[in-house]
Amino acid sequence: MKRLWTTFIVLLAISVAGSTASAAAAPYFGYNYSSTGEAVPAPLPYLPVKTIYGGDVSAGAFNNPEDVFVSADRHIYVADTGNNRIVILNGDWQLVRIIDSFRREGKRDAFNGPKGVFVDKDGHLYVADTNHARVVELNERDEFVRLIGPPKSDVIRKDFKFVPTKLALDHAKRLFVISQGVFDGIVEFDAKGGFTGFFGKNPVRFTAAELFWKQISTEAQRQQMALFVPIEFNNLAIDGEQFIYATATENSLSMEQVKRLNPSGIDVLRQDGPMPVMGDLRVTKMGSFRGSSTMTSITVDDNGVYLALDSKRGRIFAYDHDGNLLFQFGQIGDRAGTFRAPVEVEWLGRNVVVLDRALNRLTLFKPTRYGSLLLDAAASYYHGKEEEAARLWGEVNKLNNNLELAHVGIGRSHLEQGEYETAMASFKLGDSRTYYSKAFEGYRKTFLWNNFTYLFVGLAALAAIIAASRRWMPRTATDDYGPVRTAFVTTVRPFKMFWELKYEGKGKLWMALSIVGLAGFLFVLKAFYSGYIVSEPEIDEMNSLKELAFIVIPFFVWCIANWFLTTLMDGEGKFREIVIASGYAMMPLLIVYVPQLALSWVITRQEFAFYALLETVGMLWFVGLLFAATMTVHQYTPFKTVITMILTVIVIGIIIFLALLLFSLIQQLAIFASTVYQELTLWL
């Protein structure tokens, strides 16, 4: 028994030591983003396992390396820019050879600051010889093949400079080169090295204010303004379908930093995820790492998973083919697994290699079980293996219940198998309204098909009941309306009814306030109990009293502002009459909110326009009745009524400003009184 306990304690110690070692190997914490953009904890998908310096592979120290490329035979090519050479390593991180020169036309030629390297399927090496303004092609025996120099064409501007930094070759032998300082797009050469044009030019971005000032400025002022130029590409990669993934320099539209260009140069990057492909969502506006992510490198595997390197914060973001964020890892720092100036990221099988220019080293990362499961699940879905993907997403969910994408992956499998109700439940857990809508469409079609007879009989019976009730209902005099019916008739005969509300005493204050209260109540119901497809993502943070106040407070502020204003503009309406008329004018909201709430439970995402149309109709109807109410109560002309309503909105803005100012003053006085009280307490 004693021996058994000893063995158990030893095994426990080993287990704890192992877990501690794993935690110690992680130089940062893992996180992902929810559908609402909140950062949530997540297991680390990759851990650093090896750091490679030039001296470690008998190649001498690297000097400001700018590029790394992994070939089909798993050889690693490093563009050692500062040493004017290409260093080639094998998959075991052993030196294969160093290329620092080549023979051309019987003479020795050398590189000068090479910043880009690429190897095609035939083993030919392409080097962006940056400072020599050329691309050098060598064969698999490192023999010179050709040089591709600056492009020649009548369409190229005279001040064009060819400064190649990154390059890639497709299966048709078309060469794509990124040239520093070129805003026209990626430079494209054909298989013979001839210039064919610029590829994937980014559109010019400017604001309306910038365009306005540009138009009214003098010629001298225009020359001092920033030019409206497209953003510049800085890196590229080619996937198995021969589409080009490219990253662009940081701009105000940071979500456009990553593109997937088809053969025509059109961006076809899929962004079906809950957040755009832009790296970090929550960023600071101050400090060394303020602003959005700066994507400077990209690589893609055979399963549609691409890695984008954020050089600003030293993070690698992984996205699947649909643009869903799978994971992120990395950080700026000096410890193993962190970076100071990362410039390139590359797949090495399932492993990831990151090149750090400042630290002159490569870092090898290997996936954890969590990372491997994510990659396996994404690959299975990409290749159409839905059942396998669902099983893998289930395993991912066990490791990270915060990852909504896992629920979406499980739901997609159920959707493909026609299990719509189960799929809807999974998509709701994953907070994916797009996929939920697809599943609901299938569920609705199946439900209608299976219950068509019952629905038809029910609708026929309802129609018969309505017809019978209208026939046998006792008729009343045309103008003898009760309070409720008066409110409904007001919506279709506004000028006549508002006249009677004011001058014949048919308007009831309690009825007007009841309409306002019911409108607020239905507004709250819409906010909390609408169908999932149209509901707000932040529903958990919503407050029913705040939602109710969104209707009630603007109503009373409108009445007060309108009363203040019309007393100065010879308005005949009393405050009580303004409240009654404005309350009755809100009847369209009651009429629209009920069917809108019901419609939200039976529509798909593609039918959302009908839901929005009801909202628009209700608001326009309400504004029209408010116009009729204001005009009738105050006996204004139509033009004066419009002016009064506009001025009332302005007065409301002034009231809100004064209220906020008063609230701020009271808050400051409360803080001052609290401080004085604390000081007196300490002094006494």
Side-chain angles (χ1 to χ4, degrees):
M1 188 69 180
K2 183 177 181 181
R3 183 177 299 175
L4 181 62
W5 274 104
T6 303
T7 304
F8 173 77
I9 292 172
V10 171
L11 290 174
L12 180 63
I14 293 174
S15 174
V16 171
S19 62
T20 305
S22 298
Y28 32 74
F29 295 102
Y31 66 90
N32 207 306
Y33 286 104
S34 68
S35 58
T36 57
E38 294 291 335
V40 293
L44 281 172
Y46 274 80
L47 290 175
V49 294
K50 191 177 184 67
T51 301
I52 303 97
Y53 293 90
D56 298 335
V57 295
S58 304
F62 294 135
N63 184 8
N64 292 321
E66 290 282 352
D67 198 12
V68 60
F69 182 83
V70 177
S71 63
D73 58 0
R74 295 176 62 87
H75 278 42
I76 300 99
Y77 293 74
V78 181
D80 193 6
T81 308
N83 289 325
N84 303 315
R85 63 181 184 171
I86 306 298
V87 178
I88 305 172
L89 310 173
N90 62 22
D92 296 324
W93 299 101
Q94 297 172 343
L95 180 66
V96 176
R97 62 187 183 277
I98 296 175
I99 305 175
D100 55 8
S101 63
F102 53 93
R103 294 193 66 81
R104 180 169 70 94
E105 298 177 352
K107 297 181 181 179
R108 181 64 58 181
D109 202 345
F111 302 119
N112 187 0
K115 290 187 177 182
V117 60
F118 183 88
V119 180
D120 67 12
K121 60 182 179 180
D122 298 322
H124 283 219
L125 173 66
Y126 295 80
V127 179
D129 196 5
T130 306
N131 293 340
H132 279 154
R134 65 187 183 182
V135 174
V136 179
E137 180 184 354
L138 306 177
N139 64 19
E140 66 276 11
R141 296 184 297 276
D142 300 338
E143 297 170 342
F144 173 77
V145 177
R146 60 175 174 169
L147 292 180
I148 300 176
K152 307 288 185 182
S153 176
D154 295 336
V155 300
I156 297 179
R157 60 182 185 272
K158 294 181 179 179
D159 61 345
F160 179 87
K161 292 183 179 180
F162 188 54
V163 187
T165 55
K166 306 295 178 183
L167 69 170
L169 197 80
D170 67 7
H171 287 172
K173 297 292 184 179
R174 292 188 304 171
L175 180 65
F176 300 91
V177 181
I178 288 179
S179 180
Q180 183 177 328
V182 174
F183 301 96
D184 305 279
I186 301 171
V187 185
E188 180 183 348
F189 299 91
D190 61 22
K192 296 180 180 179
F195 173 68
T196 56
F198 293 101
F199 183 82
K201 181 178 180 179
N202 285 305
V204 178
R205 299 294 185 186
F206 52 85
T207 64
E210 290 171 337
L211 182 61
F212 173 77
W213 288 113
K214 196 84 170 179
Q215 296 297 324
I216 66 173
S217 300
T218 63
E219 187 65 31
Q221 290 173 329
R222 289 196 192 100
Q223 293 178 356
Q224 296 178 356
M225 290 182 179
L227 295 176
F228 294 152
V229 295
I231 58 176
E232 177 186 355
F233 288 113
N234 55 36
N235 218 322
L236 77 167
I238 294 184
D239 65 8
E241 298 177 355
Q242 302 305 288
F243 285 73
I244 293 180
Y245 284 81
T247 53
T249 51
E250 184 178 6
N251 66 99
S252 59
L253 299 173
S254 56
M255 63 187 67
E256 295 187 0
Q257 287 192 64
V258 178
K259 293 192 173 186
R260 185 177 187 245
L261 306 173
N262 66 12
S264 300
I266 300 173
D267 182 22
V268 293
L269 184 74
R270 297 185 62 170
Q271 301 211 37
D272 296 339
M275 72 240 5
V277 178
M278 58 180 293
D280 275 317
L281 302 180
R282 299 297 179 96
V283 297
T284 60
K285 296 183 179 180
M286 301 180 66
S288 303
F289 304 117
R290 65 182 180 275
S292 60
S293 297
T294 302
M295 301 303 186
T296 56
S297 177
I298 193 165
T299 183
V300 57
D301 69 4
D302 295 332
N303 302 314
V305 177
Y306 55 95
L307 305 176
L309 171 64
D310 174 13
S311 61
K312 180 183 291 184
R313 299 180 181 86
R315 290 173 185 157
I316 295 95
F317 294 88
Y319 296 89
D320 68 9
H321 183 69
D322 290 331
N324 294 295
L325 177 62
L326 295 176
F327 54 78
Q328 67 75 36
F329 65 95
Q331 184 175 294
I332 293 295
D334 294 321
R335 296 175 57 189
T338 62
F339 322 103
R340 189 177 296 173
V343 291
E344 198 71 32
V345 59
E346 272 289 312
W347 287 109
L348 180 59
R350 276 292 179 86
N351 298 336
V352 174
V353 179
V354 181
L355 177 65
D356 193 318
R357 176 180 56 201
L359 296 177
N360 296 307
R361 70 186 186 188
L362 295 161
T363 303
L364 176 67
F365 293 84
K366 284 192 175 183
T368 61
R369 181 170 181 268
Y370 175 70
S372 294
L373 285 172
L374 281 171
L375 295 176
D376 289 337
S380 296
Y381 177 72
Y382 180 76
H383 293 290
K385 302 176 182 178
E386 297 293 343
E387 292 186 12
E388 178 68 11
R391 183 188 66 80
L392 291 168
W393 283 122
E395 293 295 321
V396 170
N397 188 51
K398 293 177 182 178
L399 296 177
N400 181 15
N401 198 39
N402 289 327
L403 187 66
E404 294 168 341
L405 183 59
H407 296 290
V408 175
I410 295 171
R412 285 186 302 208
S413 175
H414 291 300
L415 178 61
E416 291 293 329
Q417 298 173 34
E419 300 171 355
Y420 301 117
E421 197 167 1
T422 307
M424 288 163 56
S426 294
F427 291 140
K428 199 168 185 179
L429 288 173
D431 202 17
S432 175
R433 285 166 173 77
T434 301
Y435 279 108
Y436 182 92
S437 177
K438 294 178 181 179
F440 177 73
E441 184 177 4
Y443 173 78
R444 185 181 64 182
K445 186 183 297 183
T446 303
F447 178 83
L448 292 175
W449 180 261
N450 294 335
N451 299 276
F452 177 77
T453 303
Y454 302 105
L455 293 173
F456 179 78
V457 172
L459 289 175
L462 180 63
I465 292 172
I466 293 174
S469 63
R470 289 176 61 87
R471 181 175 180 180
W472 299 104
M473 183 180 295
R475 299 182 180 275
T476 59
T478 305
D479 296 330
D480 188 16
Y481 303 137
V484 176
R485 192 173 180 185
T486 299
F488 278 99
V489 175
T490 302
T491 61
V492 293
R493 303 173 66 182
F495 290 100
K496 178 181 183 301
M497 296 308 299
F498 280 124
W499 177 276
E500 294 181 0
L501 293 179
K502 175 178 173 65
Y503 293 104
E504 297 183 14
K506 290 187 177 182
K508 306 298 181 182
L509 181 61
W510 66 266
M511 187 65 195
L513 296 179
S514 298
I515 293 172
V516 175
L518 281 173
F521 175 71
L522 288 176
F523 189 80
V524 173
L525 284 182
K526 271 184 56 185
F528 286 92
Y529 297 103
S530 289
Y532 174 68
I533 290 176
V534 303
S535 63
E536 293 292 335
E538 297 85 6
I539 189 170
D540 293 336
E541 302 175 5
M542 295 168 62
N543 184 288
S544 58
L545 292 178
K546 290 182 179 179
E547 297 298 319
L548 180 63
F550 187 79
I551 294 290
V552 175
I553 292 179
F555 169 78
F556 284 107
V557 174
W558 163 271
C559 294
I560 294 170
N562 189 261
W563 179 64
F564 280 152
L565 187 65
T566 53
T567 54
L568 303 176
M569 298 178 64
D570 300 325
E572 296 183 9
K574 301 176 183 178
F575 181 72
R576 183 176 184 276
E577 294 171 344
I578 295 173
V579 172
I580 292 174
S582 299
Y584 276 74
M586 293 182 69
M587 271 301 295
L589 300 183
L590 294 183
I591 296 173
V592 168
Y593 282 170
V594 174
Q596 199 178 23
L597 180 61
L599 187 64
S600 69
W601 286 94
V602 297
I603 62 171
T604 64
R605 200 173 183 88
Q606 290 74 23
E607 298 157 354
F608 182 78
F610 296 103
Y611 180 87
L613 179 63
L614 273 178
E615 186 87 32
T616 304
V617 168
M619 290 304 299
L620 292 177
W621 196 357
F622 160 66
V623 172
L625 290 185
L626 193 61
F627 170 82
T630 304
M631 181 177 174
T632 305
V633 167
H634 297 295
Q635 290 296 289
Y636 285 159
T637 63
F639 177 75
K640 190 173 182 179
T641 302
V642 172
I643 297 299
T644 301
M645 294 178 71
I646 294 174
L647 291 176
T648 301
V649 174
I650 295 175
V651 172
I652 289 174
I654 295 173
I655 291 174
I656 293 174
F657 172 75
L658 293 176
L660 292 176
L661 190 64
L662 179 62
F663 176 78
S664 177
L665 180 61
I666 293 174
Q667 189 178 38
Q668 293 295 326
L669 288 174
I671 294 173
F672 174 75
S674 176
T675 304
V676 171
Y677 174 76
Q678 291 177 2
E679 292 292 339
L680 290 174
T681 303
L682 293 174
W683 184 71
L684 294 175

